[in-house]
Every structure is written in C-alpha cells, then in structure tokens.
Amino acid sequence: MPNPNLLRRAARRLLAASSALVLGGATALVLAPAASAEPATPAGYPAGASATRYAGLAFDTCTAPALSTIQAWNASPYRALGVYISGVNRTCAQPQLTAAWVTSVTRLKWRLLPIHKGLQPPCGARPGDAKISTTAGSARTQGTRAAAEAVAAAKALGMRPGSALYNDIEHYTQTDAACRTGVLTYLSAWTKELHRLGYVSGVYMNLNLGAKQLADVYTSASYARPDALWIARYDGADTLKGWSGVADAKWPVHQRAKQYRGSHDETYGGVTVNIDNDRLDAPVATVALTYSVTSSTALKARSGPSTAHPVVTTHPPGSSLSVVCQTPGLKVSTTSVWDKLTDGTYVSDHYVSTPSATGYSAPLPRCVLPYQVTATGGLTERSGPGTSHAAKGTSPNGALAWVVCQKSGSKVGTTKIWDRFDNGRYVSDHYVATPSATTWSKPLPRC
C-alpha cells in the first residue's frame, strides 16, 4: 500500500511545480496615525522574548530527523530545517521532536522553522482534511485557536516568545470568494492571536494558489498582516525576489522564505533524507540555552545591559542561567556583550560560561524584537533619534522594524520615542506597531 504521507507530499510537490509553469517570471517621513489595528497589529512581547533570524539554505521534511542525522548533516550546506510542531492535519509522527532535541539541535548551530499544519481551505487541499469555515465568525475562532495550539506546542518544545510560527496553508481554488474570505479571515485571527501571545506570525502558501491573494490584502484594514511569508514554487530558483503576484516591496526586510524544490533524496555524512529545499531570510524559532555563572561572588542581574541599570536579582556562583540572546552594552572587563535571560534581566557576559570571553557566542542570537512599520509611504531611517539627523534609508510599509532599544528624541506625532534598529539606524516609534503610541514599550530596553 502506498505511504499516505508520501502521497500527500507528492501531491503538494506537483501543485507547486505546476504553479511554476503557469507563472512568469528614498521616501520622506510620512505623517499618518500610528496603527493599533489591521493591517499592522501590535505584538505584545513578554519579558525574556527575543526574535531570531536566519539567512541561508534550509530544508524541511515530514518527520523531524534523529539528532544523529543532524550531526551527520553538519557536512551539508544547510543550517536550518522546518519542523511540524502542531496541527490537526499534521500527518507524520514526530518521535524525535522533543524539547531536548530542540535544544541539542540549536547547540549544533542549527535554526528551526516551526510549522503548524492545521485546518485547510474549504475549497482545496486534501478531501479528508479538516477545513476552515466559510463563516467569518467561525473562521476567526478557528484562527485564534490555531494560534493558541501552536504557541502551546512551541512552548512545550522550548521555543521562546519572539519565535516565528508558520501556518501551513495548502493550495486552494482561486475563484471561490467564500473560500478566499474564510482563509484570509482565519489567517488574520492567527496573526492577531500570535501577536497577543508574543509570537511572530508566519504563513506558508503556494505562490500561485494562495500567496497572491494574501499579497492582494497586504494593506487592507480588514485583515491583520502576517510578519513573514514562506512560498512554495518548484522552479529550482532560490531567489527571494521577483515573485510573480507578490511585489518585492511586500514582506521586504528579513521576511521571506521560498521552498524551491520538492521531495527528493539527499545524502550527507553517509545519511540519506528525503527533503524539500528552502531558501530563507526570515524569522525562525528562538531557543534559550543554559550556561553557568563563573564569578566568585553573586552575579547581579539588571533591568538593562549596563551597570547603570537597577539590580533586579542576583545569581550565586556556579548557578545555571537560561540565556535567550546577547546584546551590546557597557563594557565590563574584556567584553561589551550582555546576556538577556528568560526573565528579561541582563547580566554581563564576562561572568557567564559562554564560548567567547570578548565577543558574541554562536549559536546565541542578538537581542531584537520585530514590529511592523505602519507608515503608508515608507518610514525614513536616520542616523540618530530625531528628524534633524541624516536620512540613511527607508523602511517600506509593512516591513519589519527589527528594534534593539528605544531612545528619546524629537517629537513626531504623539511621541518622542525613537526605535533603534539592529543596523544602528533610528526611526520614529510613531510609525511602528509597538504596544504604546505615546511612550516606552516594554520589554524593549532604553538605549
């Protein structure tokens, strides 16, 4: 009897391949009200949250591979993989997918792309799949529940707030208006609930049979916009630009992934796995790692990455610390790196057993929180926190503002707060979907 999982994957590959054959190949600061609803909904990240990005080659496979396989595949060009963490239509067993596996894979410097395979379009996917409702109220409830289910699964696996979770929506009929509205309503509720729970919203769709419809409502006030888009198009090209039907200005800043080749076998380190090929420049899962206190006295954990910030608590010598990410701060001895812990406090990396005594330590990511840009005409990035500083670039509407910290500057609209990006540039917080439209937004530290 044919393996139903292989049949499912083969059908999906065929649809993406057929789509490939069908398809062809500096703005001033805009004054507009800060968004508090669709399309850019604020993300309420809790203390200890941080996002993680990955840019490079990746693969996904139906069942998460054994740790020994990942070790063997260190010889491959891949350093990220998609894993199915939840969903009523997740068909493959996941005996390897545990919190211990997630931590071990992360320590090997791999990144994880969490996938929720939940309800599917009522006019597409497989006949036996559980489907999204065509009634708006029911579709919203389903999307909210899907987000809660995915977050619960992510937390159980050790994937921290700030992680991106991707909802797998398979192909569907493009001419069915009720079906289209149901899918978009479901995904809007998915995004809003993920943001409320402190996670980043991702969506996986076939480029021709779904993604274009999502792109068509990119600026619609009727739907919350997801933070990242992962498309399937099996044309063998791993480019993240030039997608037919999805303009390059949409999801433009570390917000894209592409599955460009379907099911096939590859072998590295003597181990063969059946995979899909992916190219990513997108948010992935954040996983905290444990290190120990190396100081001979109690280590002070502070509210920000500097000795000028208040002491919140202390950690005894030799005790374990759960580190989420690293960020620059006041220099202590040989390093300016500070470690953010899962409770949202910061400790100097000089007193922590991370690999480097002077700089950043892989696989820990840099501390950053993404929020969507709300300025309809794009947002000017400046060299400092004020309109008098030189313009350095522009963030398009809907781009992710990858914010490291906030600083007071010249007033724009309702606020004097400016957001510093991880590239060192500043934008007015008035045009970024942080929780507050007038003042500081926790848990972002002050610069």
Side-chain angles (χ1 to χ4, degrees):
M1 177 181 292
N3 186 324
N5 295 329
L6 294 179
L7 289 176
R8 176 188 66 80
R9 289 166 63 81
R12 177 167 146 186
R13 310 301 174 255
L14 181 59
L15 257 296
S18 63
S19 297
L21 296 176
V22 171
L23 296 173
T27 305
L29 187 70
V30 176
L31 295 180
S36 58
E38 291 86 342
T41 58
Y45 300 113
S50 186
T52 301
R53 292 198 307 256
Y54 173 78
L57 291 175
F59 73 89
D60 63 278
T61 187
C62 198
T63 299
L67 182 60
S68 59
T69 298
I70 302 301
Q71 291 169 329
W73 274 50
N74 279 336
S76 76
Y78 310 108
R79 282 301 177 272
L81 68 147
V83 289
Y84 290 85
I85 67 169
S86 58
V88 65
N89 288 317
R90 180 178 65 159
T91 53
C92 290
Q94 302 293 341
Q96 305 295 331
L97 193 54
T98 65
W101 182 91
V102 166
T103 299
S104 297
V105 169
T106 302
R107 284 196 177 278
L108 290 173
K109 303 179 183 178
W110 284 72
R111 299 303 187 196
L112 297 172
L113 195 67
I115 306 164
H116 174 81
K117 182 68 181 294
L119 299 176
Q120 292 301 307
C123 58
R126 300 179 307 170
D129 284 346
K131 301 297 179 70
I132 298 166
S133 175
T134 54
T135 303
S138 297
R140 279 192 291 271
T141 298
Q142 290 172 335
T144 300
R145 288 175 177 169
E149 180 188 352
V151 166
K155 286 183 175 180
L157 292 170
M159 297 175 179
R160 301 285 308 166
S163 295
L165 308 180
Y166 289 80
N167 198 319
D168 181 340
I169 300 294
E170 297 294 334
H171 61 277
Y172 63 96
T173 303
Q174 303 297 284
T175 56
D176 189 323
C179 177
R180 170 185 179 275
T181 300
V183 171
L184 294 176
T185 301
Y186 170 84
L187 290 176
S188 178
W190 157 269
T191 294
K192 292 178 74 171
E193 184 66 3
L194 284 185
H195 283 178
R196 190 185 74 82
L197 296 173
Y199 283 74
V200 177
S201 169
V203 172
Y204 168 96
M205 279 183 158
N206 184 286
L207 178 60
N208 191 37
L209 304 176
K212 182 184 181 300
Q213 294 197 335
L214 194 65
D216 287 344
V217 297
Y218 188 81
T219 58
S220 172
S222 299
Y223 303 104
R225 180 173 50 224
D227 302 302
L229 177 62
W230 178 15
I231 67 156
R233 187 187 184 197
Y234 299 151
D235 56 3
D238 66 356
T239 179
L240 297 179
K241 292 185 177 181
W243 296 351
S244 180
V246 182
D248 288 346
K250 297 178 179 181
W251 297 286
V253 184
H254 310 299
Q255 295 168 269
R256 290 186 169 209
K258 181 180 180 181
Q259 190 179 75
Y260 61 90
R261 185 184 179 193
S263 181
H264 65 284
D265 288 345
E266 291 190 18
T267 303
Y268 296 98
V271 179
T272 300
V273 182
N274 185 267
I275 68 169
D276 305 327
N277 292 125
D278 304 280
R279 166 72 69 177
L280 275 61
D281 184 5
V284 291
T286 296
V287 179
L289 297 175
T290 301
Y291 299 94
S292 60
V293 175
T294 60
S295 60
S296 58
T297 59
L299 177 59
K300 296 175 181 178
R302 300 178 180 272
S303 61
S306 165
T307 54
H309 287 83
V311 175
V312 177
T313 188
T314 60
H315 298 275
S319 60
S320 295
L321 301 175
S322 188
V323 180
V324 176
C325 57
Q326 295 186 311
T327 194
L330 183 72
K331 188 172 185 178
V332 176
S333 188
T334 59
T335 185
S336 298
V337 175
W338 284 67
D339 301 331
K340 183 178 180 180
L341 308 183
T342 52
D343 63 1
T345 61
Y346 296 79
V347 296
S348 170
D349 189 59
H350 181 66
Y351 302 109
V352 183
S353 65
T354 51
S356 176
T358 57
Y360 296 97
S361 294
L364 289 169
R366 304 286 181 91
C367 299
V368 65
L369 290 173
Y371 304 88
Q372 290 187 24
V373 170
T374 64
T376 56
L379 178 56
T380 300
E381 301 173 11
R382 297 186 179 274
S383 60
T387 53
S388 62
H389 290 271
K392 293 294 185 179
T394 304
S395 288
N397 179 32
L400 283 183
W402 296 89
V403 183
V404 173
C405 57
Q406 295 184 313
K407 191 170 186 175
S408 182
S410 64
K411 188 173 184 179
V412 177
T414 58
T415 185
K416 292 184 178 180
I417 305 303
W418 285 68
D419 301 329
R420 182 180 178 180
F421 288 179
D422 57 356
N423 62 8
R425 298 174 182 176
Y426 290 82
V427 297
S428 170
D429 188 60
H430 183 64
Y431 303 102
V432 180
T434 51
S436 177
T438 58
T439 188
W440 313 99
S441 288
K442 293 181 179 179
L444 288 167
R446 300 187 188 184
C447 301

